[in-house]
């Protein structure tokens, strides 16, 4: 169920002019079956002062069960400062990288032994297994299962033509999943290469094929993606293709418990 359909998963603060803050919590089941809670908030620009930011953090933390392992995401300096007042510090930084489309370097997809094809309904298990091999125990990305894939396939943005599979010698070596947003920007939503094919140029070709699809088939003039700045292979790859950072989303931890009192 989408968190916004569950009143226990989100909060809202309003004044006489309307909504000035919202907060939402999400759960992530980890490989060891423990549950990690994350929270995000949005605050009206006029309300981004310390006392109000602290109130919003308190309210959103009240949605988390006492004692749960929790971290918060921030994209604004006023929230960074508030989270630091709550004793949290940055443990992860995600970079939003973007590039103007089309990119100059186009992938060569006609080489013998290398095939790009679209996703078919019977590819669900293949997608799950390559994703698991590529992402391992990554907290969010590693847990993709067939149920989640099937649920994503029902999303309005899902486009089987834009979920590209890359085969080498008849074996699926990696995938590039694209997503077009309402504002017309095209996202590389997820990309993974089976580790046995790493460092062979597949990742570069996959990203370029995805960006080419977004530009030529979907008419996108901007391509973007989110990447963990600690992911050196991915950062190196995107930098080499010409993507540059346009914003950041930072995770603050260590785990808070809702009983810490502030
Ligand atoms: C990131 C990933 C897709 C790269 O795939 P790959 O097929 O190994 O990459 P390529 O062989 O095409 O390498 C292309 C470029 O990426 C960069 N790169 C690749 N591996 C790298 C590494 N270990 N360290 C630094 N840069 C690296 C280099 O710039 C490289 O160009 P070069 O070979 O000319 O130096 C792959 O490591 C992967 O699937 N990782 C796990 C899933 C993941 O992190 N997805 C991205 C999430 S945003």
């Amino acid at each position: 169920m989408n968190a916004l359909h569950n009143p226990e998963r989100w909060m809202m603060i309003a004044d006489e002019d309307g909504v000035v803050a919202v907060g939402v919590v999400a759960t992530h089941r980890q490989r060891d079956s423990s549950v990690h809670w994350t929270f995000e908030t949005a605050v009206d620009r006029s309300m981004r002062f310390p006392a109000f930011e602290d109130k919003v953090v308190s309210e959103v933390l009240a949605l988390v069960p006492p004692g749960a392992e929790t971290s918060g995401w921030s994209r604004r300096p006023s929230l960074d400062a508030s989270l630091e007042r709550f004793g949290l510090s940055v443990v992860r930084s995600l970079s939003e990288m973007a590039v103007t489309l089309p990119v100059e370097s186009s992938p060569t997809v006609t080489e013998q032994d290398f095939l790009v094809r679209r996703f078919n309904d019977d590819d669900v298990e293949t997608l799950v297994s390559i994703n698991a091999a590529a992402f391992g125990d990554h907290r969010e990305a590693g847990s993709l299962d067939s149920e989640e894939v099937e649920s994503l396939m029902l999303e309005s943005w899902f486009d089987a033509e834009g979920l590209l599979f890359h085969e080498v010698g008849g074996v699926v070596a990696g995938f590039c999943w694209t997503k077009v947003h309402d504002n017309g920007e095209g996202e590389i939503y997820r990309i993974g290469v089976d580790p046995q094919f790493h460092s062979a140029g597949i990742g570069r070709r996959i990203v370029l094929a995805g960006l080419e699809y977004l530009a030529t088939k979907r008419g996108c003039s901007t391509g973007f993606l989110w990447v963990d700045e600690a992911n050196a292979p991915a950062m190196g790859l995107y930098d080499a293709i010409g993507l540059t950072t346009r914003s950041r989303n930072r995770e603050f931890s260590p785990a808070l418990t809702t009983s810490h009192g502030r």
Side-chain angles (χ1 to χ4, degrees):
M1 177 165 56
N2 184 314
L4 294 180
H5 295 151
N6 181 349
E8 293 176 0
R9 292 292 178 93
W10 67 281
M11 47 70 64
M12 183 183 85
I13 301 174
D15 64 14
E16 60 275 11
D17 296 323
V19 176
V20 287
V22 290
V24 63
V25 294
T27 52
H28 306 273
R29 187 163 296 281
Q30 302 179 96
R31 287 258 161 125
D32 64 2
S33 288
S34 64
V35 175
H36 182 93
W37 288 71
T38 56
F39 64 88
E40 293 186 59
T41 59
V43 169
D44 187 280
R45 285 183 188 283
S46 67
M47 300 296 284
R48 294 180 183 175
F49 51 86
F52 190 72
E53 289 282 13
D54 288 358
K55 176 179 170 58
V56 173
V57 172
S58 291
E59 295 286 337
V60 77
L61 280 172
L63 301 173
V64 178
E69 186 187 308
T70 313
S71 59
W73 289 92
S74 173
R75 299 180 70 172
R76 57 183 187 279
S78 54
L79 177 58
D80 294 351
S82 173
L83 293 171
E84 281 164 7
R85 285 192 292 279
F86 276 77
L88 302 181
S89 53
V90 177
V91 291
R92 199 149 58 124
S93 181
L94 304 187
S95 211
E96 185 189 30
M97 301 182 79
V99 68
T100 299
L101 299 180
V103 292
E104 277 178 22
S105 160
S106 287
T108 308
V109 293
T110 51
E111 288 172 36
Q112 210 178 6
D113 245 18
F114 183 77
L115 170 77
V116 178
R117 66 166 176 85
R118 55 160 281 169
F119 171 87
N120 296 306
D121 285 356
D122 57 3
D123 286 322
V124 172
E125 291 306 329
T126 306
L127 176 61
V128 167
S129 84
I130 293 190
N131 182 83
F135 285 98
D137 60 2
H138 187 281
R139 191 174 75 211
E140 294 94 9
S143 62
L144 185 78
D145 57 17
S146 50
E147 193 185 340
E148 188 178 350
V149 173
E150 278 155 11
S151 139
L152 288 166
M153 287 166 68
L154 299 175
E155 294 280 344
S156 57
W157 57 264
F158 179 77
D159 167 26
E161 304 270 346
L163 172 40
L164 303 174
F165 270 22
H166 296 247
E167 294 185 359
V168 178
V171 175
V172 178
F175 68 90
C176 177
W177 194 340
T178 63
K179 171 178 180 177
V180 177
H181 289 253
D182 291 344
N183 65 1
E185 291 193 350
E187 178 179 6
I188 302 288
Y189 174 68
R190 189 176 288 216
I191 171 192
V193 174
D194 189 322
Q196 63 181 305
F197 291 99
H198 276 184
S199 303
I202 308 286
R204 181 192 296 271
R205 293 181 194 201
I206 285 178
V207 173
L208 289 172
L211 293 174
E212 186 182 63
Y213 173 81
L214 289 168
T216 60
K217 297 288 199 303
R218 302 299 305 273
C220 301
S221 55
T222 299
F224 77 98
L225 51 80
W226 284 95
V227 56
D228 189 328
E229 290 175 2
N231 186 342
M235 288 294 288
L237 170 60
Y238 304 146
D239 181 58
I241 287 174
L243 288 113
T244 54
T245 297
R246 68 177 183 185
S247 79
R248 284 196 166 81
N249 193 7
R250 301 196 299 163
E251 182 180 16
F252 285 70
S253 214
L256 267 181
T257 68
T258 49
S259 58
H260 68 91
R262 185 173 179 186

